[in-house]
Amino acid sequence: MSVLDAPRVRKYHLTLIAVAVLILVLALVRVVTGKVDITSSGIFQAALVLAVPIGLAGLGGLWAERAGVVNIGLEGMMVLGTWFAGWAGYQWGWQAALVAGLAAGAIGGLLHAIATVGFGVDHIISGVAINLLGPGVTRFLSEVLYAEGTPAAEAGAGITTSPALASRPPEVSLPLFSSGPDVLGALENTHWFLVSDVAGILRGLTHNVGLLVIVAVALIPLTYFVLWRTAFGLRLRSAGENPWAAESLGVNVYLTKYIATVISGALAGLGGVFLVFFTTKYVEGQTGGRGFIGLAAMIFGNWRPGGLAAGASLFGYADGLQLRSSAAVTSFFLFGAILLLLYVGNRIRQLLSSSRETAAAAVAGARDYTVMAFAAMGVVVLMWLWMTVDRLPNEFVFITPHVLTLLVLLVASQRLRMPKADGVRYRRGEQH
């Protein structure tokens, strides 16, 4: 193994260690709290399903922002994807729903590209406009096409919902874990420490997995390969870092930004299609802010596919937990306290092992001490809540994923680096 490969291997090993630690902490929390749902196959199956639309929206944001286009219009593009998937799906089946949702999201991305790249409109303003436009357009189309007396209304449509899909995509189970007797299910039911937890996680992630779930998971490494291992990806990322330098090297920055933003919209639309497949029809408001949570997952992942997948998984798990077992949500207090404690311990170890005494290191050290102080306070508060709160009110259970979004972003914001030209208005030959 060459020296150049060592950092990559170390990062890979650290990722595996982090996953192992998370599973160990979850198993410990299950034993201490007695909430078996925390690592059950049902929870992880729900978490996988709920993480997919968030991850697809986050991937859409990643493609756009790596090209220098801020896309907060992901929510509106998802809404367009849900409506057109429901409209096409009830007439021609799930294949038509997939195509229609992708196309609708891509059109939303194209509108955003025309406004921001073509006319130089502020990216935030354009994104907000699309978030307003999406629900408005879909409500208008529902009132026109799903009105009383129309064929769609006779098939079960209303102003806020479409008829059920004519067909659904198939579900599969991974052969390695689904052939023969249900060994994983038997191990899960033993409730042995760590053994049953790992079995429940594997069973939830491998049994009865939808076809679109597999496609969505495959898009994570595919995005990494395209953006970091191809010439097109290098040109796209250069447009987000320094478009004028890319222009001087012959890159068509306008076209690159257009392509990236259209792909961004298509991925957000695909997330909307998945929601329709999950509920078997379009329902007004079914996105539930997942476009914004996907944007948060992308930021949490530091504009990288792997980190984005971790963020989407975290939010999907929290969402699945509050849907399937609201009583187990209180165990999240203990889970969060242990993770914060591990974080503080790791930061203390790093600070003690550091021997640099430069001014920059001193400033960074002061900032680290402040973050650690807040983290230590968080440990105390979370432990107190876990010991004193038996059951959260339904209102607090419902907002758990959104509160988790804010807390994760607060911690993750200490180590973020966005593309340098992200959101910068680009005009050929007019370098800022």
Side-chain angles (χ1 to χ4, degrees), residues 284-350:
E284 188 175 78
Q286 69 191 131
T287 56
R290 287 180 174 84
F292 299 112
I293 298 179
L295 197 63
M298 179 205 67
I299 296 171
F300 166 79
N302 203 13
W303 289 265
R304 305 277 296 192
L308 183 156
S313 301
L314 176 63
F315 301 139
Y317 179 78
D319 213 359
L321 192 63
Q322 63 98 359
L323 284 176
R324 290 185 59 93
S325 179
S326 58
V329 172
T330 54
S331 60
F332 239 64
F333 296 141
L334 179 60
F335 180 66
I338 294 175
L339 290 184
L340 283 177
L341 193 61
L342 291 174
Y343 170 78
V344 171
N346 184 55
R347 293 305 301 158
I348 291 175
R349 180 190 63 80
Q350 291 178 351

Side-chain angles (χ1 to χ4, degrees), residues 74-134:
L74 294 167
E75 178 75 8
M77 297 170 194
M78 285 188 77
V79 172
L80 291 173
T82 58
W83 191 92
F84 281 94
W87 171 75
Y90 92 88
Q91 300 180 85
W92 303 294
W94 68 269
Q95 297 93 338
L98 184 61
V99 173
L102 277 168
I107 290 173
L110 179 62
L111 291 175
H112 188 51
I114 291 172
T116 57
V117 181
F119 291 99
V121 175
D122 183 89
H123 297 199
I124 304 299
I125 293 175
S126 176
V128 170
I130 290 176
N131 286 335
L132 296 174
L133 182 67

